[in-house]
Amino acid sequence: MIWETVRLSLRSIRRNVLRSFLTLLGIVIGVAAVIAMLTIGSGTTEKVKADISKLGSNLLVVRSGRPAGPGGPGGLDQVVRPLAEKDLAALVAHLTGARAISPASQKQVRVIFGTESLTSGVTGTDSAYLDARDWKLVSGRPFSDSETRSGTGVCLIGETVRQQFFGTGDPEGEIIRVNRTSCKIIGLLEPKGYTGFGQDQDNVVLMPLHAYQRRIAGNRDIDNIYIAADDRTPTSELQPRVEDILRDARRVTPDRESDFAIRDMTQIADAMASATTTMTGMLGAVAGVSLLVGGIGIMNIMLVSVTERTREIGIRLAIGAHEKHILIQFLVEATVLSLLGGIIGILIGLALAGLASVALTIPFAPSPAVILLAVGFSALIGMVFGFFPALRGARLDPIEALRHE
Amino acid sequence: MAAGAPLITFDKVWKSYGQGEAKVHALAGVDLAIQRGEFVAIMGPSGSGKSTAMNIIGCLDTPTAGTYSFMGIDAGRLDRNRRAMLRNLYVGFVFQGYNLLARTTAAENVELPLIYRGVAARERRDLAMQALSQVGLVGREHHSPAELSGGQQQRVAIARAIVTRPTLLVADEPTGNLDTARTHEIMELLTQLNTELGLTIAMVTHEADVAGYAERTIRFLDGHVASDSKNLEVA
């Protein structure tokens, strides 16, 4: 019976190809928009996650100042104490579960080679930094311990810096000027590309912390301490240990808040991902509105169809169709119509998302759940918006309907 | 149903439309009985109430007052769906305008009542072919109404009406759109169905010679039965 009705509805859809197509268009556009939005959205989320994991997952970053929280960061009465080398030393001495602990102080500084110049992110750090950030060298070597200790003028440069100064040439052994000091390039970092926020991760210069402090910053401060957890230790477990050690090292009394903040990059990654997910959801909802419009289109055309086929309904009722038979016939027709639109919409939406993923260099991430949902939703739209016209058809008086011209 | 009881009984049947001053009585207390196997012609000018009576006979409509009983069932008090069921099981309809579904083959048109009866596809096909052969349309089962002549279309409609092996055939001016030769053929067919299958036929017509094919003629006038007589010459 149902199969019979589906066949019947397909036939009546085929009978008015143009009209059916125009009716479908609303649903097609709606579903295509939703599918494209959600697929591009989840691609973006994946990209953001991947970008943040490039920043280093299972990474804790300590910086001075009170943690941001209710009441805002550090009050005026409290002078922010920078991190110092004894804090680092305390962590290195007492922290368990860390793979690498590394200090870092950063500044945007003008870097000059010959007549070329470039403003780069210059970081003063030690040899554990590469391990902590999970960065690799394409060529050359990291700082030696003695270079770190004595603050020798050596540096590692990123790909952007190399291209600016040396093109594709080998930069090793060249001397560049960083601010007013000079340093010798001893290695080239592996290219990492841009972050999701448009920050060039290759426009960097790394130099020994002491060299940076003495020649560029002019102080003994450490801006950040990077702590990479080892494989067995989740960052959530590592974080309180770090806090205890640092409170102790910085002699923060138990009645006071910590005068430093520990950021968990995993948490940040999750937060960013959930932000893009929310964004995606909102865009999807906006696109969903067009589905509603498509549904109204279906209702409109089904009303026309019921009126046009009043006589047919009369015949069917006369020869013994029950109300429910007529109701089901038109409901199925509306559902088949919108389902068809939904399927076409999904194909177009996926194609659009595919093109977008190439254009935006994000992963193409179609979600079976979303596709299934779109199928279900478009069928639902057909049922909901087809119901009123179908009911109208079913309630017709057979005598009146037969008289209808 | 008691043996010998009439198939159709009107007991003081009223059918009124409108309210108050504008109230019109299409049927004003009609008493009528039609026996099983009868072939009855119903005549009368427009507005005489004959169409209303036919709609009630065919269980399409219900009386405002009085009792309509069909096969001993008080059909006038059944709800829409029960009357639909009754029509599907016991009544076949033939209309003046054929009322076939366009762009649907003859066979599919004939199968239609069986679909609502829930008959399986294969059996439907067989029964439809049987009905089409009964009306002399073998070989046309895959034609659509547009490809058939008026007489052939009416034959398809008759096949659709008898495919369910109904007790009663309600025909509303079945030859109204046909020429004389075609009219004769259709009337021959109806007469044959009446005699061979024992099918009770109630037929509305304007034409006396068409009514002549029936055994009995009931004339309506102003909502009353004006005359009810056996036809002397049976064609």
Side-chain angles (χ1 to χ4, degrees), chain B residues 133-178:
Chain B
S133 80
Q134 272 178 300
V135 299
L137 270 185
V138 176
R140 300 291 162 95
E141 56 271 13
H142 298 303
H143 289 54
S144 74
E147 297 165 331
L148 296 170
S149 72
Q152 287 170 330
Q153 287 187 56
Q154 194 60 299
R155 282 169 191 273
V156 175
I158 292 169
R160 181 179 68 191
I162 63 169
V163 74
T164 57
R165 306 191 197 290
T167 310
L168 171 69
L169 183 80
V170 172
D172 188 2
E173 301 200 38
T175 58
N177 289 3
L178 299 175

Side-chain angles (χ1 to χ4, degrees), chain A residues 314 317-318 397-399 402, chain B residues 54-62 83 87 93 95:
Chain A
L317 286 171
D397 175 11
I399 302 168
L402 278 170
Chain B
M54 281 298 272
N55 286 337
I56 291 175
I57 288 173
C59 301
L60 285 168
D61 210 348
T62 54
R83 276 184 285 122
R87 289 197 295 273
F93 288 91
F95 307 95

Side-chain angles (χ1 to χ4, degrees), chain A residues 11 311 316-317 323 394, chain B residues 80 87-88 99 108 116:
Chain A
R11 189 192 296 183
R311 209 177 168 80
R316 290 178 182 275
L317 286 171
E323 272 180 41
Chain B
R80 265 175 75 106
R87 289 197 295 273
N88 188 248
N99 277 343
E108 285 168 327
Y116 295 121

Side-chain angles (χ1 to χ4, degrees), chain A residues 22-165:
Chain A
L22 290 175
T23 310
L24 284 183
L25 215 53
I27 298 287
V28 169
I29 292 171
V31 170
V34 170
I35 290 285
M37 283 301 162
L38 296 187
T39 308
I40 294 171
S42 66
T44 312
T45 307
E46 273 183 31
K47 164 94 166 150
V48 167
K49 274 187 184 163
D51 281 346
I52 292 174
S53 82
K54 265 191 229 160
L55 292 177
S57 56
N58 60 34
L59 188 65
L60 295 178
V61 182
V62 185
R63 60 180 175 78
S64 60
R66 259 203 291 189
L76 287 173
D77 57 320
Q78 190 181 19
V79 178
V80 175
R81 265 195 301 163
L83 295 166
E85 246 167 278
K86 66 175 171 55
D87 300 329
L88 178 68
L91 285 171
V92 171
H94 302 298
L95 185 62
T96 55
R99 190 185 72 225
I101 303 172
S102 172
S105 290
Q106 283 115 336
K107 208 175 187 180
Q108 291 291 315
V109 169
R110 181 164 292 268
V111 181
I112 300 164
F113 177 76
T115 54
E116 300 280 331
S117 84
L118 177 69
T119 301
S120 276
V122 175
T123 301
T125 184
D126 64 11
S127 50
Y129 188 74
L130 295 180
D131 191 15
R133 299 296 305 270
D134 209 8
W135 287 6
K136 289 180 180 57
L137 287 175
V138 179
S139 64
R141 58 171 180 87
F143 314 131
S144 69
D145 285 344
S146 69
E147 279 165 344
T148 307
R149 258 196 313 277
S150 61
T152 317
V154 290
C155 57
L156 305 170
I157 62 168
E159 181 62 25
T160 305
V161 179
R162 172 172 86 139
Q163 276 176 18
Q164 176 73 17
F165 295 149

Side-chain angles (χ1 to χ4, degrees), chain B residues 8-206:
Chain B
I8 284 165
T9 322
F10 277 52
D11 184 14
K12 297 184 192 60
V13 166
W14 288 75
K15 183 70 188 183
S16 315
Y17 298 99
Q19 296 283 318
E21 291 289 303
K23 200 158 184 171
V24 175
H25 302 293
L27 294 178
V30 172
D31 290 312
L32 187 68
I34 297 174
Q35 305 295 325
R36 271 176 185 271
E38 270 195 288
F39 187 168
V40 181
I42 295 174
M43 299 188 76
S46 3
S48 62
K50 65 177 191 303
S51 295
T52 307
M54 281 298 272
N55 286 337
I56 291 175
I57 288 173
C59 301
L60 285 168
D61 210 348
T62 54
T64 316
T67 307
Y68 169 56
S69 96
F70 175 69
M71 300 178 72
I73 300 163
D74 189 353
R77 286 186 181 64
L78 296 179
D79 65 23
R80 265 175 75 106
N81 283 333
R82 282 179 193 281
R83 276 184 285 122
M85 201 184 294
L86 216 54
R87 289 197 295 273
N88 188 248
L89 290 174
Y90 302 114
V91 187
F93 288 91
V94 176
F95 307 95
Q96 177 178 2
Y98 322 132
N99 277 343
L100 299 176
L101 298 189
R103 285 166 287 208
T104 305
T105 66
E108 285 168 327
N109 264 292
V110 175
E111 281 181 42
L112 207 54
L114 298 175
I115 291 179
Y116 295 121
R117 207 183 257 202
V119 177
R122 175 162 304 177
E123 196 184 345
R124 268 192 339 244
R125 190 117 303 207
D126 292 346
L127 288 171
M129 294 310 291
Q130 217 176 311
L132 281 169
S133 80
Q134 272 178 300
V135 299
L137 270 185
V138 176
R140 300 291 162 95
E141 56 271 13
H142 298 303
H143 289 54
S144 74
E147 297 165 331
L148 296 170
S149 72
Q152 287 170 330
Q153 287 187 56
Q154 194 60 299
R155 282 169 191 273
V156 175
I158 292 169
R160 181 179 68 191
I162 63 169
V163 74
T164 57
R165 306 191 197 290
T167 310
L168 171 69
L169 183 80
V170 172
D172 188 2
E173 301 200 38
T175 58
N177 289 3
L178 299 175
D179 62 29
T180 321
R182 248 30 78 195
T183 296
H184 179 71
E185 283 174 23
I186 291 297
M187 289 319 298
E188 285 293 331
L189 177 60
L190 288 182
T191 309
Q192 183 195 334
L193 293 172
N194 173 243
T195 50
E196 286 179 9
L197 302 179
L199 186 63
T200 312
I201 299 178
M203 170 184 74
V204 167
T205 181
H206 273 119

Side-chain angles (χ1 to χ4, degrees), chain A residues 35-342:
Chain A
I35 290 285
M37 283 301 162
L38 296 187
T39 308
I40 294 171
S42 66
T44 312
T45 307
E46 273 183 31
K47 164 94 166 150
V48 167
K49 274 187 184 163
D51 281 346
I52 292 174
S53 82
K54 265 191 229 160
L55 292 177
S57 56
N58 60 34
L59 188 65
L60 295 178
V61 182
V62 185
R63 60 180 175 78
S64 60
R66 259 203 291 189
L76 287 173
D77 57 320
Q78 190 181 19
V79 178
V80 175
R81 265 195 301 163
L83 295 166
E85 246 167 278
K86 66 175 171 55
D87 300 329
L88 178 68
L91 285 171
V92 171
H94 302 298
L95 185 62
T96 55
R99 190 185 72 225
I101 303 172
S102 172
S105 290
Q106 283 115 336
K107 208 175 187 180
Q108 291 291 315
V109 169
R110 181 164 292 268
V111 181
I112 300 164
F113 177 76
T115 54
E116 300 280 331
S117 84
L118 177 69
T119 301
S120 276
V122 175
T123 301
T125 184
D126 64 11
S127 50
Y129 188 74
L130 295 180
D131 191 15
R133 299 296 305 270
D134 209 8
W135 287 6
K136 289 180 180 57
L137 287 175
V138 179
S139 64
R141 58 171 180 87
F143 314 131
S144 69
D145 285 344
S146 69
E147 279 165 344
T148 307
R149 258 196 313 277
S150 61
T152 317
V154 290
C155 57
L156 305 170
I157 62 168
E159 181 62 25
T160 305
V161 179
R162 172 172 86 139
Q163 276 176 18
Q164 176 73 17
F165 295 149
F166 311 106
T168 54
D170 180 9
E172 243 174 275
E174 301 286 352
I175 309 278
I176 53 172
R177 286 197 70 77
V178 179
N179 217 358
R180 284 182 303 278
T181 185
S182 60
C183 69
K184 188 172 116 195
I185 298 167
I186 58 167
L188 177 65
L189 295 162
E190 194 178 60
K192 288 169 293 291
Y194 285 80
T195 64
F197 322 107
Q199 191 194 348
D200 183 358
Q201 300 180 91
D202 298 322
N203 186 10
V204 291
V205 175
L206 302 186
M207 58 198 319
L209 178 66
H210 288 165
Y212 173 88
Q213 286 174 332
R214 218 177 306 136
R215 305 181 194 195
I216 293 169
N219 59 33
R220 307 272 296 165
D221 299 348
I222 294 172
D223 295 343
N224 299 301
I225 297 173
Y226 286 84
I227 302 161
D230 64 26
D231 294 338
R232 292 177 309 276
T233 314
T235 48
S236 56
E237 214 171 281
L238 200 56
Q239 185 164 352
R241 292 186 207 160
V242 171
E243 177 142 24
D244 286 348
I245 293 168
L246 284 179
R247 282 178 73 95
D248 198 38
R250 291 165 71 81
R251 302 193 199 293
V252 180
T253 51
D255 58 315
R256 298 193 71 105
E257 275 186 66
S258 301
D259 59 350
F260 55 89
I262 305 168
R263 283 191 302 170
D264 184 339
M265 295 309 277
T266 315
Q267 276 174 11
I268 293 173
D270 289 348
M272 291 305 303
S274 87
T276 41
T277 306
T278 308
M279 197 67 191
T280 305
M282 270 170 58
L283 287 172
V286 170
V289 171
S290 58
L291 264 181
L292 193 75
V293 177
I296 292 168
I298 295 247
M299 175 137 90
N300 189 18
I301 219 64
M302 288 313 293
L303 280 173
V304 171
S305 182
V306 164
T307 307
E308 253 183 12
R309 285 151 70 189
T310 298
R311 209 177 168 80
E312 176 191 325
I313 294 170
I315 298 166
R316 290 178 182 275
L317 286 171
I319 63 174
H322 291 199
E323 272 180 41
K324 69 162 193 250
H325 292 131
I326 306 295
L327 188 76
I328 288 170
Q329 182 187 337
F330 284 94
L331 260 187
V332 166
E333 193 170 318
T335 307
V336 166
L337 199 63
S338 67
L339 204 55
L340 217 61

